[in-house]
Amino acid sequence: MNELTAKRVSIFHRNLKNAHTLFLAAFPKVERMPFAFLMFMSLLPDIHYRSYYDGKTFVGTAFYVEFKHIVYLVYLAVDDSLRSKGYGSMILTLIKEDYPDRDIVLMIEPPDDAAPNAEQRQKRYDFYTRNGILDTGIIGHRNELTMLIMSTQVPFQEKELIDFFKHYHMMPELIRK
């Protein structure tokens, strides 16, 4: 395993196809924003869409937004054939290293033994907690989605996250567990 390198995903780069294919495979339709919208948004200075490579091997992507003192991680995915090899942890480490003074915040489906994808939810939750991203105890509801807010800092920058949601017109109802 080499050191990972990050490349900007853009319509002008050959990594677009890999990023798009992984995006469609890794996230259920209900959780996906339109891909063209992601590409448009990534043109803005504080929004980043990155592909990660181990040498020449495409391993995954991350889409994240800088906002005040937080970095909101919208999507992180590792190619299915390369999962459980440490690449997700390496991508998170690179993002944390780029923003050492910022709170990394994200939302995932909460663990739920009754959910049809209970094992996947638990694995995702365990992955993030192993990597220093903690359960804030706050659930966000928006449309048909129920998501758990996780953060590198607990207590976390809740006001800034609310400002972020308002700024991008995606304010969920927030409930403490």
Side-chain angles (χ1 to χ4, degrees):
M1 191 178 305
N2 297 316
E3 188 172 316
L4 289 189
T5 56
K7 296 181 181 176
R8 183 173 172 257
V9 174
S10 79
I11 59 172
F12 306 110
H13 197 280
R14 70 181 191 279
N15 63 3
L16 178 64
K17 184 173 192 248
N18 288 335
H20 185 246
T21 300
L22 180 57
F23 176 72
L24 294 175
F27 301 101
K29 188 173 185 175
V30 68
E31 292 181 25
R32 292 191 310 245
M33 290 183 231
F35 193 75
F37 178 73
L38 292 181
M39 296 308 305
F40 171 75
M41 293 300 290
S42 70
L43 297 173
L44 299 173
D46 294 336
I47 299 179
H48 308 281
Y49 198 0
R50 301 285 183 259
S51 286
Y52 295 88
Y53 291 84
D54 183 353
K56 292 185 179 190
T57 303
F58 169 76
V59 298
T61 62
F63 185 92
Y64 53 95
V65 181
E66 297 175 51
F67 187 83
K68 297 184 181 179
H69 295 98
I70 66 170
V71 173
Y72 185 74
L73 182 58
V74 183
Y75 299 113
L76 183 141
V78 172
D79 185 277
D80 196 37
S81 68
L82 298 171
R83 289 195 185 135
S84 299
K85 297 186 186 304
Y87 288 117
S89 296
M90 291 172 71
I91 291 169
L92 275 175
T93 297
L94 289 174
I95 294 169
K96 288 182 200 177
E97 287 173 352
D98 285 345
Y99 302 98
D101 299 328
R102 295 201 190 184
D103 189 2
I104 309 296
V105 181
L106 57 92
M107 294 173 73
I108 63 169
E109 292 177 298
D112 178 355
D113 291 338
N117 65 339
E119 184 179 348
Q120 179 188 51
R121 288 177 181 219
Q122 189 63 53
K123 282 182 178 180
R124 192 173 292 131
Y125 180 86
D126 293 345
F127 165 77
Y128 283 115
T129 56
R130 264 193 325 274
N131 283 282
I133 301 181
L134 309 170
D135 185 336
T136 64
I138 300 175
I139 299 285
H141 295 283
R142 186 165 187 262
N143 301 329
E144 65 261 34
L145 290 175
T146 298
M147 305 295 273
L148 172 65
I149 298 172
M150 299 187 76
S151 170
T152 52
Q153 298 176 17
V154 175
F156 77 114
Q157 306 280 341
E158 186 173 348
K159 182 188 179 324
E160 289 195 13
L161 182 62
I162 290 169
D163 290 348
F164 167 82
F165 287 141
K166 287 179 181 176
H167 180 79
Y168 287 101
H169 306 286
M170 51 188 271
M171 186 66 199
E173 174 189 4
L174 301 178
I175 299 169
R176 296 194 188 284
K177 294 195 286 181

